[in-house]
Amino acid sequence: MKPPAPYENAVTFQFGDSPELADELLALVLSGAKTATCGALRDFDEKEPVPEPGRRDVVLDGRGRPACAIETISIVIQRFDEVDEAFAVAEGEGPYDAWRSGHIDYFDRNGGYAPDMLLVCERFRVVEVFKREADLHVRLAAGIRPRPAPHPCPGRDSSRSPWDRRPARAPDRAG
């Protein structure tokens, strides 16, 4: 699926290495908990070049649908063992120790881990969230309940059916 205008030619990517992890990390981005990410320098190429400050990319959900646009704020290329706690916490995935062990596992699954491997450490901000048709089970699992439809007549009580001809109850008055 193509990103919406004006992002048709933007770099698109998913976080993580599975649809489930992509959706989990995307949820952290959309909630504001995740404002940083990193990747092995070796994994960047022409299709997904190293981000630059000011560049806007499109994040895809686990099904490959455009979910939001992010703008790169800063880039630091550094060794894995030089990543500090502030950056790890900005990734939104827990305290430093959880970040470290989770990323060692991730890199082991995706080309190998080494303490001196170079990472592209990116800080970003969300600039636009795209409307997506969410799966009902995903919304319910996230605790998002459907809202009742608004009353078709403005100013009417939405808890009453538009076909209910009983008079509305007068408001209680204080004394």
Side-chain angles (χ1 to χ4, degrees), residues 155-168:
R156 286 286 188 86
D157 180 1
S158 62
S159 66
R160 300 181 66 214
S161 162
W163 310 111
D164 189 349
R165 295 192 179 269
R166 293 174 290 143

Side-chain angles (χ1 to χ4, degrees), residues 11 59 102 132-133 147-148 156 158 160 165:
V11 171
V59 181
R132 293 176 294 143
E133 196 60 41
R147 285 191 200 159
R156 286 286 188 86
S158 62
R160 300 181 66 214
R165 295 192 179 269

